[in-house]
């Protein structure tokens, strides 16, 4: 029933008692590996060499130790990465500020021809992209470092309404229309309103970025049995079935149209990270050229 694998074996012998201890990695017939701890004491039985001992399955202990090491390695990796991002972000903010100041001064010149102005506009867009990328990297690093959330009784409708003016201004720049359809009887939940605002903003900015002019973006809040659902529905370019499982991956871009956008590629990853930390979930439905709907599920506290 068992095939003993000689490698990965730990053997110890007590020179005083003769006790032998071994940890053996063995394979079952179904291919699954198990770890066995064996101790044996050599004896003589009826004038024949023999041994008496015990064996214990220590697979769970081994797996727990391995997971502990992996968690520690991952924490150290996150710490090093966070420090690197913080240092780089700090070093880049000063030259970026100088770039924005120089661009602003150039834009005030009245005698520049149209070709020069177009180049200045390109510089401004690229500088803005770098600024947004740095902010997104810093936010993602902070969330990875187990940021402490400030959970409190939160009216999600109020969070959405406080965002309304800013979102409508962004949409108006592309001649888009944002419609808020909120269930005003939605219950109070426990959440961090600032982090929820960040998550909702990233989803809404995504909808605005990838929707055409003269289209609608609908923001809804509805009730389910155990969750409050916030939905963001757009009439944008949509996402293919192949790309849907990947859109929350960091830096993932689903097609050429999105590659040319000004996003950092971290917005949806940040949004999902925040919702996950609220014990919620975020799902997406989409079809190419027909638009996309993001559904954010936030748990309603059981007050019984």
């Amino acid at each position: 029933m068992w095939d003993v694998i000689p490698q990965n074996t730990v053997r110890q012998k007590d020179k005083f008692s003769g006790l032998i201890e071994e940890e053996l990695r063995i394979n079952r017939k179904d291919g699954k590996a198990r770890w066995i701890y064996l101790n044996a004491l050599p004896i003589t039985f009826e004038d024949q060499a023999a041994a008496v001992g015990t064996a214990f399955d220590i697979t769970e202990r081994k797996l727990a130790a391995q997971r502990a090491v992996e968690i520690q390695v991952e924490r150290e990796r996150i710490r090093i990465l966070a420090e690197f991002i913080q240092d780089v972000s700090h070093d880049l903010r000063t030259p970026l500020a100088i770039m924005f100041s120089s661009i602003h001064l150039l834009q005030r010149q009245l005698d520049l021809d149209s070709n020069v102005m177009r180049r200045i506009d390109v510089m401004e867009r690229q500088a803005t992209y770098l600024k947004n990328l740095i902010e997104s990297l810093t936010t993602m690093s902070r969330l990875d470092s187990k940021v402490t959330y400030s959970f409190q009784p939160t009216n999600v409708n109020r969070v959405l309404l406080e965002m309304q003016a800013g979102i409508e201004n962004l949409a108006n720049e592309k001649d888009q229309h944002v419609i808020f359809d909120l269930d005003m009887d939605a219950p109070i939940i426990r959440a961090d309103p600032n982090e929820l605002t960040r998550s909702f903003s990233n989803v809404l900015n995504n909808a605005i970025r990838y929707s055409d002019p003269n289209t609608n973006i609908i923001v809804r809040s509805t009730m389910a049995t155990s969750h409050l659902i916030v939905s963001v529905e757009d009439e944008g370019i949509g996402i293919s079935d192949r790309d849907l499982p990947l859109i929350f991956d960091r830096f993932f871009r689903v097609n050429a149209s999105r590659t040319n956008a000004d996003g950092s590629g971290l917005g949806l990853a940040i949004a999902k990270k925040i919702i996950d930390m609220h014990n919620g979930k975020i799902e997406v439905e989409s079809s190419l050229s027909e638009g996309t709907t993001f559904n954010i599920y936030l748990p309603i506290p059981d007050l019984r």
Side-chain angles (χ1 to χ4, degrees):
M1 295 178 59
W2 303 86
D3 296 325
V4 179
I5 300 178
Q7 63 268 25
N8 299 324
T9 299
V10 178
R11 182 184 178 98
Q12 296 179 353
K13 183 175 182 180
D14 189 317
K15 65 181 180 180
F16 297 105
S17 66
L19 181 66
I20 297 174
E21 297 178 271
E22 291 193 22
E23 291 182 0
L24 301 174
R25 181 176 180 268
I26 63 178
N27 277 346
R28 302 193 312 189
K29 289 298 184 181
D30 60 8
K32 295 183 178 179
R34 305 295 293 182
W35 279 91
I36 301 297
Y37 167 75
L38 174 69
N39 61 30
L41 183 65
I43 63 172
T44 300
F45 181 72
E46 295 183 351
D47 298 325
Q48 298 290 326
V52 60
T54 56
F56 302 94
D57 187 329
I58 59 170
T59 304
E60 295 305 320
R61 190 185 77 187
K62 280 285 189 180
L63 292 177
Q66 180 181 346
R67 285 193 292 268
V69 171
E70 291 173 351
I71 290 172
Q72 186 60 36
V73 170
E74 179 65 12
R75 286 176 177 171
E76 182 65 13
R77 184 192 68 82
I78 291 174
R79 185 190 66 79
I80 293 173
L81 181 60
E83 289 182 357
F84 171 76
I85 290 174
Q86 290 291 340
D87 291 342
V88 171
S89 299
H90 181 269
D91 291 341
L92 289 177
R93 282 192 172 94
T94 298
L96 271 176
I98 295 172
M99 290 171 62
F100 278 115
S101 297
S102 300
I103 290 169
H104 177 68
L105 290 173
L106 289 172
Q107 289 172 332
R108 296 179 62 183
Q109 302 298 317
L110 301 178
D111 56 346
L112 297 177
D113 61 41
S114 59
N115 288 330
V116 174
M117 286 301 300
R118 279 196 296 270
R119 292 181 181 276
I120 293 174
D121 289 341
V122 170
M123 292 168 57
E124 184 177 28
R125 285 198 300 272
Q126 294 303 311
T128 300
Y129 169 79
L130 287 175
K131 176 176 175 290
N132 292 338
L133 178 59
I134 290 170
E135 291 177 353
S136 295
L137 283 170
T138 303
T139 298
M140 195 79 250
S141 174
R142 181 176 60 84
L143 295 175
D144 282 339
S145 300
K146 301 297 182 183
V147 60
T148 300
Y149 284 74
S150 178
F151 288 102
Q152 56 189 274
T154 300
N155 186 325
V156 173
N157 285 337
R158 181 176 298 173
V159 171
L160 290 168
L161 290 173
E162 288 175 352
M163 298 168 53
Q164 184 173 4
I167 292 299
E168 288 178 343
N169 287 337
L170 287 175
N172 289 339
E173 294 177 3
K174 295 186 65 175
D175 296 323
Q176 297 166 345
H177 311 286
V178 182
I179 301 170
F180 283 77
D181 180 15
L182 307 180
D183 181 356
M184 302 313 294
D185 294 326
I188 302 297
I189 67 169
R190 284 194 61 78
D192 184 323
N194 292 328
E195 296 297 344
L196 275 189
T197 298
R198 189 187 309 277
S199 181
F200 295 159
S201 294
N202 286 351
V203 175
L204 283 163
N205 287 336
N206 185 80
I208 292 171
R209 184 176 296 117
Y210 301 121
S211 295
D212 293 327
N214 299 313
T215 58
N216 295 323
I217 296 170
I218 303 174
V219 183
R220 291 190 176 94
S221 66
T222 55
M223 284 277 295
T225 303
S226 58
H227 288 80
L228 175 64
I229 306 172
V230 175
S231 301
V232 177
E233 178 182 349
D234 67 53
E235 301 170 356
I237 61 177
I239 308 167
S240 69
D241 291 339
R242 181 190 63 187
D243 293 327
L244 270 177
L246 305 174
I247 62 168
F248 295 109
D249 291 354
R250 302 178 188 192
F251 302 108
F252 180 74
R253 308 251 184 181
V254 300
N255 56 35
S257 298
R258 289 174 180 256
T259 302
N260 295 328
D262 295 331
S264 66
L266 287 170
L268 293 180
I270 290 171
K272 184 178 185 302
K273 183 83 172 180
I274 292 171
I275 299 304
D276 287 345
M277 295 303 295
H278 282 76
N279 294 320
K281 63 179 179 178
I282 179 169
E283 296 178 346
V284 59
E285 304 169 3
S286 185
S287 297
L288 285 175
S289 304
E290 294 183 9
T292 302
T293 299
F294 286 89
N295 294 312
I296 299 170
Y297 297 81
L298 294 165
I300 298 172
D302 188 354
L303 301 180
R304 291 178 297 176

